[in-house]
Amino acid sequence: MPARPADNASILLHGVDFTSAPRSKKGITIASGTLTGDVFHLTALTTLNDFAAFSSWLALPGPWLGAFDFPFSLPRALVSQLAWPQHWPDLMTHLASLSRATLRETFKAVCDARPVGSKFIHRAADLTAGSSSSMKWVNPPVAYMLHAGAPLLLEAGVSVYPMHQGDPERVALEAYPGMLARSITRDSYKNDAKAMQTPARAAARAVILDAIERGNYPHAIKFDAGSFRQDLLDDASGDLLDAVLCALLAAWGWQRREQQYGLPPCDALEGWIVGAPAATTNPSQNI
């Protein structure tokens, strides 16, 4: 399911920092730009305050490639255990039919029946990217992010790689900015609570920004912040920086569009996180 052929100058790249509860004080944040050689140039930062605005944004014509910070699917082992649909579009339709309360109760029942230390089931990509299980409903509530976001991708008719072929000029990849950030520093760089927005976290944002500007991290895409550099440093929530990290992963994937966006062979129900290394453990491993 390759993207429509386009050169770097004609493709718009987006990084999307998602929230399962968009509102005026914390919206869905999008970093957009273009790629010249190995340099991603940031041209716009956008904040959307509700899902209707997000759906309208998804409908914007391409060609574009977006990297989205929310899980696109669930572990196959969990889906099989629950006897839910094992074809991605059908699974997303089923998820959309459930309330958040039902989703939480269902996942909690699964966790309660599992031994201490291995409550959550993980996808193979979670294990290599260091991301939370997509069935986790708190700290962070990525299950709610999946529930809110992935069905909207299906509804918008975009291509969701590698699970679903939609519009080849609008392509969505799953991203995890924490993976990229941790490749630079293990220090905390963000917090939504004002009391936790410390000088140390501001310093960590500066470290990350300096590294990505120089391309000094494993994915090696250099970053040109343009007029937005101070905004990225000043945003203590980290939403703007997370959107940029997703955009850099989109750029990395776009460079590898002829090689499946750099994704290794993977389960088409579970999907993969762009830029995450190939699995070295059994894909069905649960932790």
Side-chain angles (χ1 to χ4, degrees):
M1 187 176 61
R4 177 180 180 271
D7 59 28
N8 285 352
S10 64
I11 186 77
L12 192 58
L13 300 170
H14 303 293
V16 181
D17 182 57
F18 193 74
T19 172
S20 60
R23 53 203 183 277
S24 59
K25 292 185 177 181
K26 186 176 180 66
I28 297 167
T29 306
I30 303 169
S32 304
T34 58
L35 185 67
T36 304
D38 290 328
V39 181
F40 174 76
H41 304 276
L42 182 63
T43 59
L45 291 171
T46 305
T47 300
L48 307 175
N49 295 329
D50 55 51
F51 291 130
F54 181 58
S55 291
S56 295
W57 181 85
L58 287 172
L60 292 174
W64 58 254
L65 173 69
F68 295 75
D69 178 22
F70 60 84
F72 283 3
S73 194
L74 292 165
R76 180 176 288 276
L78 174 66
V79 174
S80 297
Q81 180 177 333
L82 296 173
W84 284 0
Q86 297 193 21
H87 182 229
W88 186 83
D90 296 335
L91 177 60
M92 293 305 104
T93 300
H94 177 70
L95 275 181
S97 74
L98 304 176
S99 68
R100 285 190 182 180
T102 298
L103 199 67
R104 178 187 180 279
E105 291 167 4
T106 302
F107 291 168
K108 186 176 185 301
V110 171
C111 289
D112 287 348
R114 293 171 58 83
V116 174
S118 55
K119 291 293 187 182
F120 292 100
I121 305 172
H122 285 67
R123 298 174 298 164
D126 295 325
L127 301 176
T128 71
S131 55
S132 296
S133 167
S134 55
M135 66 180 293
K136 194 174 184 184
W137 61 88
V138 66
N139 297 330
V142 287
Y144 296 160
M145 295 168 71
L146 163 64
H147 180 259
L152 293 181
L153 296 178
L154 177 63
E155 182 181 289
V158 305
S159 287
V160 182
Y161 195 81
M163 299 93 130
H164 176 68
Q165 185 167 359
D167 182 354
E169 293 195 338
R170 295 178 295 142
V171 179
L173 302 176
E174 183 180 337
Y176 177 47
M179 173 186 67
L180 196 158
R182 283 198 297 268
S183 74
I184 298 168
T185 179
R186 290 279 176 169
D187 293 339
S188 176
Y189 63 95
K190 61 180 181 176
N191 202 290
D192 285 335
K194 288 194 178 296
M196 302 296 289
Q197 295 174 352
T198 62
R201 288 189 168 91
R205 290 195 298 279
V207 168
I208 293 170
L209 184 55
D210 178 69
I212 61 178
E213 286 176 329
R214 292 183 289 114
N216 188 22
Y217 63 104
H219 298 88
I221 302 292
K222 295 179 181 178
F223 175 56
D224 171 19
S227 63
F228 301 102
R229 192 177 196 279
Q230 195 61 45
D231 296 321
L232 299 173
L233 290 172
D234 291 344
D235 175 28
S237 73
D239 293 345
L240 296 180
L241 186 54
D242 279 349
V244 164
L245 297 180
C246 287
L248 294 175
L249 289 169
W252 184 90
W254 176 250
Q255 285 185 328
R256 292 155 180 79
R257 60 194 178 277
E258 301 301 333
Q259 294 83 43
Q260 315 300 315
Y261 302 103
L263 275 60
C266 63
D267 186 327
L269 176 65
E270 292 192 355
W272 202 261
I273 295 169
V274 62
T280 57
T281 56
N282 188 330
S284 64
Q285 179 179 351
N286 306 331
I287 63 174

